[in-house]
């Protein structure tokens, strides 16, 4: 009588334990939305800590023509790296039109399957250039201001030079030439 009770109790505990651990895997996207620049690489990541562990990961891209399976063999720009707890979708050489959109990671275990959705936004290469172009524009404006400022100052300086500065400059030039001649003559004799 007591043993039957224990067995029943044991079975009840076992099934309760199973109840908490079992069931389809819970799959989470590490980042629900991702932004990347065209021609660069992006990595989309999903995780699952569930037990039993995910035995098979699959990636899809949602499209109007039906979900498209993404594997290592589907395109040479795309590859998938998976472990029991994590899956990564790598997309290289991102294309603005082709790669923007929603992706599904689907993890399947003995108990069923679960999935998460990640939205990828691919921005134009130019978008990444804007901050740089801003700096270039700033520099151009500064250079222009300095240039205009210098141009306005120049006529005054030219006048000053003609009034006073030119005569001493010429004479000193003569001196240097004379000295040079003397040295050369001395060296020759
Ligand atoms: C896909 O390719 C990557 C890199 O070449 C490799 O690490 C990975 O294991 C491959 N995945 C599958 C599912 O074959
Ligand atoms: C996930 O994969 C399983 C098994 O391949 C499939 O039955 C299920 O429909 C998939 N779920 C999604 C959301 O694609």
């Amino acid at each position: 009588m007591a043993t039957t009770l224990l067995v029943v109790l044991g079975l009840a505990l076992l099934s309760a334990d199973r109840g908490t651990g079992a069931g389809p895997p819970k799959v989470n996207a590490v980042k629900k939305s991702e932004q990347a620049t065209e021609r660069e690489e992006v990595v989309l990541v999903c995780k699952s800590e569930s037990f039993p562990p995910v035995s098979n990961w699959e990636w899809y891209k949602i499209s109007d023509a039906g979900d498209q399976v993404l594997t290592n063999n589907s395109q040479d720009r795309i590859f998938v790296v998976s472990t029991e707890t994590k899956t990564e979708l790598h997309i290289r050489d991102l294309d603005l039109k082709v790669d923007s959109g929603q992706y599904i990671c689907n993890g399947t275990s003995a108990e069923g399957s679960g999935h998460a959705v990640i939205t990828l936004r691919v921005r134009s290469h130019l978008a990444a250039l804007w901050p740089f172009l801003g700096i270039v524009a700033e520099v151009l404006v500064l250079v222009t201001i300095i240039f205009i400022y210098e141009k306005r100052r120049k006529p005054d300086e030219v006048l000053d030079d003609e009034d006073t500065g030119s005569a001493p400059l010429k004479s000193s030039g003569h001196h240097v030439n004379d000295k040079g001649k003397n040295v050369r003559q001395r060296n020759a004799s």
Side-chain angles (χ1 to χ4, degrees):
M1 184 65 193
T3 32
T4 344
L5 209 78
L6 267 177
V7 167
V8 168
L9 204 78
L11 279 175
L13 275 172
L14 246 173
S15 63
D17 189 38
R18 262 208 188 154
T20 57
K26 288 184 185 67
V27 173
N28 294 306
V30 170
K31 276 175 84 181
K32 281 199 169 68
S33 70
E34 189 73 66
Q35 211 180 54
T37 306
E38 69 176 328
R39 281 180 247 164
E40 287 179 3
E41 180 178 339
V42 75
V43 182
L44 308 181
V45 187
C46 286
K47 282 187 169 172
S48 176
E49 308 289 340
S50 297
F51 189 87
V54 169
S55 51
N56 187 43
W57 286 106
E58 277 173 314
W59 283 92
Y60 302 92
K61 181 165 195 300
I62 299 178
S63 77
D64 298 335
D67 296 351
Q68 182 192 348
V69 188
L70 303 172
T71 63
N72 270 10
N73 304 322
S74 55
Q75 288 176 49
D76 23 315
R77 299 187 301 116
I78 289 174
F79 64 100
V80 177
V81 183
S82 301
T83 65
E84 278 185 346
T85 54
K86 191 169 115 176
T87 182
E88 294 177 354
L89 175 71
H90 297 242
I91 311 173
R92 284 188 188 141
D93 191 21
L94 281 166
D95 187 288
L96 196 66
K97 283 184 190 133
V98 177
D99 295 325
S100 291
Q102 289 187 305
Y103 292 79
I104 299 176
C105 56
N106 183 356
T108 304
S109 75
E111 299 286 330
S113 64
H115 69 273
V117 180
I118 300 178
T119 305
L120 174 64
R121 275 185 53 205
V122 181
R123 346 173 260 186
S124 131
H125 212 64
L126 277 177
L129 268 179
W130 281 127
F132 171 73
L133 289 181
I135 292 169
V136 169
E138 247 171 63
V139 168
L140 279 180
V141 167
L142 272 177
V143 165
T144 310
I145 289 170
I146 291 169
F147 183 76
I148 291 170
Y149 179 74
E150 288 289 316
K151 228 186 166 184
R152 282 198 173 171
R153 260 185 51 164
K154 269 230 170 98
D156 300 348
E157 280 175 1
V158 168
L159 276 176
D160 281 355
D161 276 358
E162 272 175 3
D163 284 351
T164 56
S166 53
L169 255 174
K170 266 177 193 164
S171 68
S172 74
H174 264 299
H175 273 296
V176 170
N177 277 349
D178 288 351
K179 268 183 193 165
K181 267 179 204 163
N182 288 344
V183 169
R184 255 178 261 136
Q185 277 166 358
R186 251 184 254 139
N187 280 350
S189 61

